[in-house]
Amino acid sequence: MGEFDLIARYFKRPATRAALGVGDDCALLQPAPGTQLAISSDMLVEGRHFLGTVDPRKLGHKALAVNLSDLAACGAKPLAFTLALALPRVDEDWLAAFSAGLLALADAHNCELVGGDTTQGPLNICITIFGEVPVLDGQSLALLRSGARPGDDLYVSGTLGDARVALEVFRGTLSVPAPVFEMARSRMEQPTPRVALGLALRGIASAAIDVSDGLLGDLGHILTQSGVGATVQADAASALVASRSIYRDNSTLPGQTIGIDQWRSLALAGGDDYELLFSAPASTRAQVAQAAESSQTAVTRIGTIERESGLRLVDADGRKLPNNYSSFDHFA
Ligand code: ADP
Ligand code: MG
């Protein structure tokens, strides 16, 4: 099968929202009047972001999910994406499963594949995604990292640390009962982008970011870009590791003992969570709760934005904890 047959079979579908989709030199998109384009790229490299043994359907899901998560963090509505793909060889079973996983998530978010590039090489997946954000009276409604203000509450959506549990099991540094691993693995391989929550938080959240490198590391970006500090309740965060309750329920099964420090570390610096971390004025608590409910996404208050710069960690009793958690850095 040649390059163009491959594209036609696995990646070309009739354009629905785009003015012109796959098949010409450029795709054509028409943003709605009064909107801005929000644009983001993410690359997934075998051995670095995923294991070669991963189910290609789940890989297709994850490749798009991490991009949708960036739109969510900006409060942008998904519109379209392009796919640049390097493949070592043409494996039709692999392509069919990859394309099915990718396009199922695309359809769920009404986000259209409008173009890309296909080449031979080590497996590498790069998606660029386009979303829409309204502009009101000349003001963009995009959620930014730079808007957090002293006194704002700090929230995170969903669950934390589970993807890292799975990663450590794969690395052989952690052993957990099978039901714990199964749930952790699904969070690692098929993250849920919080698009509906991001949209619901427009006009409410003062700053937002998606958690990809670890909660504290990504919070650091909000703090730096907003010129503020924060106190985080480590145990409010560590209670959000979903595999922790399954772990407790399976305490009689073989697996290693995981202590409170390790749960904290998984939650605060695990990475690959694709949850939204955001700040909002304390006066908007009811609106935040309403946004969580309308988007059917749990959100938990885990701290406070403060004038004093730096990041402070406290336990459930308000006692100071040392902050020696480091977030993921490809070049560190
Ligand atoms: P060009 O050489 O003009 O850049 P290509 O020959 O690379 O175009 O691609 C032909 C068409 O197929 C283009 O419309 C391109 O956007 C699309 N395309 C290529 N690879 C992919 C892919 N993996 N997924 C979706 N569309 C693709
Ligand atoms: Mg061309």
Side-chain angles (χ1 to χ4, degrees):
M1 161 173 292
E3 176 188 336
F4 300 105
D5 293 333
L6 183 163
I7 296 166
R9 173 151 328 162
Y10 297 107
F11 301 114
K12 180 172 180 165
R13 296 191 303 176
T16 53
R17 306 179 73 193
L20 183 64
V22 170
D24 213 306
D25 290 308
C26 291
L28 297 173
L29 292 180
Q30 181 66 66
T35 66
Q36 280 178 333
L37 275 183
I39 303 166
S40 179
S41 290
D42 265 297
M43 183 154 69
L44 265 62
V45 177
E46 179 174 359
R48 174 86 351 213
H49 301 97
F50 61 91
L51 306 165
T53 51
V54 69
D55 174 351
R57 184 179 297 262
K58 293 176 179 167
L59 184 59
H61 172 103
K62 184 164 179 175
L64 184 58
V66 302
N67 280 277
L68 285 165
S69 179
D70 283 318
L71 289 188
C74 286
K77 188 168 122 202
L79 206 57
F81 66 105
T82 60
L83 169 67
L85 192 59
L87 296 169
R89 73 198 79 83
V90 175
D91 173 343
E92 289 213 51
D93 290 339
W94 191 94
L95 276 164
F98 175 81
S99 150
L102 178 85
L103 296 177
L105 186 65
D107 288 344
H109 290 276
N110 196 14
C111 188
E112 192 167 25
L113 176 56
V114 293
D117 198 23
T118 306
T119 164
Q120 200 265 330
L123 184 56
N124 189 319
I125 303 156
C126 183
I127 288 180
T128 297
I129 197 162
F130 304 85
E132 233 174 38
V133 189
V135 178
L136 257 189
D137 302 327
Q139 278 282 105
S140 172
L141 293 193
L143 304 176
L144 305 180
R145 297 177 177 184
S146 51
R149 294 294 169 259
D152 286 357
D153 293 321
L154 189 63
Y155 298 86
V156 69
S157 66
T159 64
L160 293 170
D162 300 297
R164 185 60 177 266
V165 168
L167 178 65
E168 296 303 332
V169 172
F170 277 119
R171 283 177 169 167
T173 60
L174 187 66
S175 85
V176 295
V180 178
F181 176 60
E182 282 316 308
M183 103 73 55
R185 183 181 188 169
S186 78
R187 290 289 293 145
M188 177 174 93
E189 294 181 341
Q190 293 190 284
T192 306
R194 305 301 186 184
V195 175
L197 178 64
L199 293 176
L201 287 172
R202 284 200 306 227
I204 302 170
S206 51
I209 191 170
D210 68 320
V211 181
S212 53
D213 297 334
L215 181 91
L216 296 186
D218 288 318
L219 173 58
H221 297 304
I222 288 187
L223 301 186
T224 306
Q225 294 191 31
S226 299
V228 294
T231 291
V232 170
Q233 298 160 26
D235 294 320
S238 69
L240 298 178
V241 186
S243 42
R244 190 177 177 184
S245 50
I246 302 175
Y247 171 86
R248 250 190 247 108
D249 295 343
N250 290 275
S251 57
T252 57
L253 296 177
Q256 95 199 38
T257 305
I258 305 177
I260 178 67
D261 280 344
Q262 212 174 346
W263 290 119
R264 282 179 187 147
S265 174
L266 288 162
L268 296 171
D272 238 13
D273 298 302
Y274 303 103
E275 295 295 350
L276 294 189
L277 173 65
F278 61 96
S279 58
S283 59
T284 62
R285 281 185 190 173
Q287 287 160 271
V288 170
Q290 175 59 41
E293 188 170 326
S294 70
S295 62
Q296 298 190 310
T297 310
V299 308
T300 306
R301 191 147 50 86
I302 57 158
T304 312
I305 299 292
E306 294 160 344
R307 193 172 306 278
E308 185 192 343
S309 68
L311 184 55
R312 289 157 290 280
L313 282 182
V314 295
D315 69 10
D317 300 318
R319 280 187 299 251
K320 274 219 156 89
L321 291 171
N323 178 4
N324 43 19
Y325 304 97
S326 59
S327 72
F328 193 79
D329 179 335
H330 283 284
F331 297 104

